[in-house]
Amino acid sequence: MPRHPGQRFALSQRQAAVVLLLPFLAVYGLFLVYPFFKGVWISLHDWNLMEVAFNPDAKAYVGLENYERVMWGRNIVWGALASPVLQIIGLIGVCLSLFLHRTGRAGRTTALTMGIAAVLLFVLPGFHPGEEGRWFDRRFWPTVGNTILFVGLAVPGVTVTALLLAAALNGETRAKATLRTLFFLSQVLSVTVVTLIWQIMFSPRQGLIANLTELFGGTPITWLTAEGFAMAAIVIATIWWSLGIAMILFLAGLQDISKDLYEAAALDNATGTQAFWHITLPNLKRTITVVVVLQIILHFQVFGQSHLMTNGGPNDSTQVLVRYIYQTAFRDSDLGRASAMAVFLFVIMGSFSILQFVLGREKDQ
Amino acid sequence: MSGVQLQNITKTYGNVQVIHGIDLSISDGEFCVFVGPSGCGKSTLMRMVAGLEKTTGGSINIGGREVTRLDPSQRGVAMVFQTYALYPHMTVAENMGFGLKMNGMPKAEVAEKVNEAARILQLEPLLDRKPKALSGGQRQRVAIGRTIVRGPEVFLFDEPLSNLDAELRVDMRVEIAKLHKQIGATMIYVTHDQVEAMTLADKIVVLRAGRVEQVGAPMDLYNDPDNRFVAGFIGSPAMNFLKGQVEDGGLAISALDSAPATDLRLPADGTGVEFGLRPEHMRVDPAGRGFRLDLVEKLGGVSYAYLEARTGERLVVAESGESDLVDDMEVGLSFDPAQAFLFDAQTGKRIR
């Protein structure tokens, strides 16, 4: 390229790239990479938030002791039938993934992922305290269980509802456009507003749900304080809240499916439900994968709904991992142990991120 | 017996009428081509036969059955789409068998029919591939295979070759013609390409602005067009038209020095006419006068000479063989007046 006379510095393409990337890299490093490694470092220390704040030397290196105190216990043994339901489901999962792979119904990555998940489901619940043994932290694994239960309910809930809504609202009429906006609107609310709305909705005295129940002669359920219903209540609020993005992604996916395919299907005697099953769903496979993995990553971080609606109760039944981390760090001032749990959460979410990356690159054969 | 009868078919979108009362009868085993410029309603008309567009008025009969209000799948038709519309998530075999599967046919029977169609179209090595792994021509063949498997009464082709490159288009055109000979079913074929229409059709339906301009066998349309539009549409390169009028019971064509002799029954003096000459029915006369030779395109077997008349009107002349004409020459034109066509300039109707 000819140089202009007034041009003093000429950057090569590579140099220009570095210059343009620098601001991002600086922010990314300062606010993400550095805190992450700092967190890992803290998790290796006995680190009381208050004491260290006043006296930086009041921390002690303890190695992996925090991890042991969070995740392990005294006399922990493993049994193949310690938690029969989960472990049997795990075993069935292992067989199923082998079967699906052998018969060619699932790709290699899918089968492998399923297999690993199934093996974990078989192995992990098998650990339990033996005679005179106990967990060092009795609340950690139940909290992990609650979080997984929450994710397990919220993700399919959001995905299925958003998919059905998107299928119903995919069209050019004004009514559909209005409804799309309405359904997306909840997404922009903050968690405080969402939980407030749903606390009122679930209120046994003035709530809409209670009023409807009474109208039909039923006794109102005390959603937020009944142990069997509290988790359901925060799942419902969450589905309502995070429907929008998933719906938009599905709508984008639906627009990508050519109209010709539906016309060809109509000639092939597949309309309505048949067309949805044979044409829409298979062509949305990639979008569904993206939505599911994104939702999993998002919902493992659930905090506000549990913190604001139920305070983790009743009887810890809605206590979730991030809330437990928050309490350990800022109520109990045990920053070391909280960081260890945070690293644990990172590993879970990191594996789902990797999964999404792999599935995103995998070309469907 | 699986002919198609259209009776007074109309179609309106809102208050715009796009099809204006079409009557048409296609007999059993006939290859019928709908041809016309874009927006003439040819695709809409075929989609109404398929049931993909609702029919506003009139009735459609297929094989003696009234199907106007039936679902697409119940009409006994199968269609090849311009974009092929293959199901991307299914293999070739699944694509071809999907319709039968949806109609509840047992798997073994479906497989048998798919294999039979694959044999006809030489698709056997591709049966396990997904559409993505096929070339344009192969996809086209799968789309055709999908229709054969269904064993329909009527095959519909919606501009099936327009996504293929020129060479492949000729190959596929021949294959479709062969296929029609082989299975002898009724076929309706939509195209804007008059060459496809001429080469494939038993019967051509020329459409313009939602109306039928003329129906007939290809050579009948070529030799005996009813109006200026059909004359200009059928034939390549297109017919040349020169403006003129009837004077003293004879023709006066401004671009021509001498009035062409004619034994047609001419209308009253003063009527505006257009004098139509096909490029292949004229000769350039190097010794003559009256036209400037703009350009000569030499294609080997034939050369196209582009002429400009004194009136500014342009003509194309097809000279067979190699031509020794030079650009910018002053030339004349010779032709046999018996091969010329005459049209009313106002109505476009042929004057016979």
Side-chain angles (χ1 to χ4, degrees):
Chain A
M1 235 179 12
R3 281 195 188 187
H4 294 283
Q7 194 177 357
R8 275 188 220 161
F9 310 104
L11 295 177
S12 71
Q13 208 168 1
R14 183 176 289 265
Q15 287 167 322
V18 171
V19 169
L20 290 170
L21 275 174
L22 220 53
F24 166 76
L25 287 177
V27 171
Y28 189 73
L30 198 62
F31 293 105
L32 274 156
V33 180
Y34 169 70
F36 170 72
F37 284 106
K38 176 99 185 206
V40 175
W41 189 62
I42 292 174
S43 77
L44 302 175
H45 289 75
D46 181 9
W47 188 306
N48 185 293
L49 182 66
M50 287 304 168
E51 282 175 30
V52 178
F54 290 115
N55 171 18
D57 297 327
K59 56 184 183 261
Y61 180 80
V62 293
L64 294 175
E65 200 176 287
N66 280 325
Y67 292 91
E68 196 189 1
R69 277 173 60 206
V70 167
M71 299 196 266
W72 205 241
R74 201 170 52 225
N75 275 343
I76 300 299
V77 291
W78 188 82
L81 285 170
S83 177
V85 179
L86 290 179
Q87 286 181 293
I88 286 171
I89 293 177
L91 271 183
I92 294 173
V94 173
C95 300
L96 195 67
S97 55
L98 278 177
F99 171 75
L100 286 180
H101 184 54
R102 281 278 163 80
T103 54
R105 265 173 241 201
R108 203 157 141 218
T109 321
T110 321
L112 198 67
T113 317
M114 251 185 84
I116 292 174
V119 168
L120 287 178
L121 197 59
F122 176 66
V123 172
L124 292 182
F127 290 106
H128 60 99
E131 262 177 73
E132 288 190 31
R134 69 174 195 85
W135 295 105
F136 293 133
D137 183 341
R138 278 178 222 270
R139 291 178 73 196
F140 178 72
W141 287 113
T143 302
V144 173
N146 288 341
T147 312
I148 292 175
L149 177 66
F150 174 81
V151 172
L153 292 172
V155 172
V158 169
T159 310
V160 172
T161 325
L163 182 57
L164 293 179
L165 269 180
L169 298 181
N170 182 29
E172 279 159 24
T173 66
R174 195 165 294 179
K176 285 184 177 181
T178 316
L179 284 172
R180 281 201 294 267
T181 316
L182 274 181
F183 279 108
F184 185 75
L185 222 53
S186 63
Q187 187 88 48
V188 305
L189 300 176
S190 85
V191 68
T192 22
V193 180
V194 172
T195 51
L196 198 64
I197 292 172
W198 281 93
Q199 270 176 307
I200 298 169
M201 286 284 280
F202 285 127
S203 158
R205 287 216 209 109
Q206 59 198 20
L208 179 67
I209 297 173
N211 282 336
L212 282 177
T213 323
E214 274 178 345
L215 194 68
F216 292 105
T219 331
I221 301 163
T222 53
W223 285 86
L224 299 177
T225 48
E227 217 172 297
F229 288 97
M231 182 59 90
I234 67 169
V235 167
I236 291 170
T238 305
I239 292 175
W240 182 81
W241 184 31
S242 45
L243 209 57
I245 290 288
M247 185 184 74
I248 295 296
L249 286 173
F250 282 134
L251 279 168
L254 287 172
Q255 310 263 308
D256 263 358
I257 305 176
S258 153
K259 235 184 84 198
D260 285 354
L261 284 189
Y262 289 103
E263 293 187 340
L267 283 159
D268 278 340
N269 199 15
T271 52
T273 332
Q274 294 269 36
F276 184 77
W277 187 255
H278 291 287
I279 308 296
T280 310
L281 273 188
N283 281 295
L284 275 183
K285 218 168 98 186
R286 271 162 168 258
T287 317
I288 294 173
T289 313
V290 169
V291 167
V292 166
V293 177
L294 284 179
Q295 296 280 329
I296 289 176
I297 295 170
L298 180 73
H299 290 311
F300 258 110
Q301 306 173 67
V302 58
F303 170 70
Q305 296 93 305
S306 150
H307 193 62
L308 296 168
M309 285 173 76
T310 59
N311 284 315
N315 193 21
D316 256 5
S317 64
T318 56
Q319 177 75 317
V320 288
L321 204 47
V322 176
R323 185 169 188 271
Y324 192 40
I325 293 170
Y326 162 78
Q327 287 180 330
T328 310
F330 300 108
R331 191 191 60 194
D332 308 341
S333 289
D334 196 344
L335 209 53
R337 208 150 57 85
S339 298
M341 291 192 255
V343 170
F344 173 81
L345 183 61
F346 167 80
V347 170
I348 293 183
M349 296 194 325
S351 34
F352 279 106
S353 302
I354 291 168
L355 180 67
Q356 195 217 347
F357 186 69
V358 170
L359 291 178
R361 279 170 43 134
E362 187 186 22
K363 292 184 180 122
D364 38 356
Q365 53 281 33
Chain B
M1 176 63 215
S2 52
V4 179
Q5 278 78 40
L6 307 183
Q7 263 169 19
N8 196 23
I9 293 293
T10 58
K11 174 74 185 173
T12 52
Y13 291 108
N15 46 19
V16 183
Q17 183 155 10
V18 293
I19 301 285
H20 303 266
I22 286 183
D23 291 296
L24 184 64
S25 174
I26 302 164
S27 46
D28 187 22
E30 198 164 37
F31 198 120
C32 176
V33 175
F34 295 173
V35 67
S38 0
C40 69
K42 55 191 189 295
S43 274
T44 308
L45 189 61
M46 169 185 280
R47 291 167 57 82
M48 282 158 78
V49 174
L52 297 173
E53 298 279 353
K54 286 218 170 69
T55 307
T56 311
S59 77
I60 301 171
N61 270 270
I62 294 176
R65 248 178 352 129
E66 153 96 43
V67 298
T68 322
R69 304 272 170 261
L70 292 187
D71 282 342
S73 61
Q74 296 166 342
R75 297 186 174 205
V77 299
M79 182 158 165
V80 176
F81 291 80
Q82 183 177 355
T83 57
Y84 321 133
L86 298 178
Y87 309 121
H89 55 286
M90 298 183 197
T91 62
V92 167
E94 286 167 337
N95 258 290
M96 285 165 55
F98 183 65
L100 301 180
K101 187 178 144 195
M102 283 296 102
N103 285 319
M105 186 180 278
K107 262 187 192 171
E109 225 170 303
V110 173
E112 197 180 306
K113 297 225 171 192
V114 168
N115 287 330
E116 169 68 15
R119 197 183 51 75
I120 295 177
L121 293 165
Q122 288 143 23
L123 285 170
E124 283 144 319
L126 308 176
L127 281 177
D128 291 326
R129 293 221 203 142
K130 293 257 174 84
K132 208 164 41 175
L134 302 178
S135 71
Q138 290 170 333
R139 287 180 203 188
Q140 185 62 74
R141 285 226 292 281
V142 175
I144 293 172
R146 189 163 66 176
T147 58
I148 293 178
V149 166
R150 296 266 317 277
E153 295 183 64
V154 178
F155 287 77
L156 306 174
F157 295 86
D158 188 5
E159 309 213 18
L161 305 185
S162 49
N163 282 6
L164 299 176
D165 60 46
E167 198 181 332
L168 207 50
R169 204 176 298 171
V170 176
D171 292 348
M172 285 307 297
R173 205 169 70 200
V174 174
E175 278 202 44
I176 291 175
K178 271 200 242 164
L179 182 74
H180 179 241
K181 230 182 238 172
Q182 199 172 347
I183 54 182
T186 313
M187 294 185 176
I188 301 179
Y189 187 105
V190 163
T191 180
H192 61 267
D193 180 347
Q194 58 94 19
V195 177
E196 278 174 36
M198 293 294 283
T199 50
L200 287 171
D202 296 324
K203 175 191 273 177
I204 295 182
V205 179
V206 183
L207 290 158
R208 179 168 64 153
R211 290 192 171 85
V212 173
E213 291 286 328
Q214 192 174 353
V215 180
M219 286 324 285
D220 290 348
L221 296 194
Y222 177 83
N223 289 325
D224 192 14
D226 276 349
N227 52 51
R228 188 192 182 284
F229 178 78
V230 175
F233 197 82
I234 301 290
S236 172
M239 187 184 281
N240 300 292
F241 296 100
L242 296 172
K243 285 199 166 54
Q245 56 181 344
V246 180
E247 261 173 29
D248 305 327
L251 285 173
I253 310 297
S254 338
L256 301 177
D257 288 335
S258 56
T262 175
D263 50 5
L264 301 174
R265 290 172 49 200
L266 297 176
D269 277 7
T271 311
V273 293
E274 290 197 71
F275 192 65
L277 280 165
R278 292 206 182 272
E280 52 273 33
H281 293 160
M282 298 187 287
R283 283 275 164 285
V284 172
D285 175 9
R289 285 264 164 279
F291 294 87
R292 198 174 63 83
L293 184 61
D294 260 351
L295 180 75
V296 185
E297 283 181 341
K298 293 174 185 170
L299 281 84
V302 62
S303 303
Y304 295 124
Y306 292 82
L307 308 185
E308 190 181 334
R310 276 182 305 237
T311 52
E313 288 165 305
R314 287 167 187 281
L315 296 100
V316 185
V317 180
E319 294 266 301
S320 64
E322 223 169 305
S323 153
D324 49 4
L325 296 169
V326 189
D327 292 359
D328 289 325
M329 276 171 80
E330 174 96 6
V331 295
L333 201 62
S334 68
F335 56 87
D336 174 8
Q339 285 180 309
F341 298 90
L342 196 63
F343 303 95
D344 187 316
Q346 205 85 52
T347 61
K349 285 247 166 61
R350 170 101 175 267
I351 297 167
R352 291 168 193 270

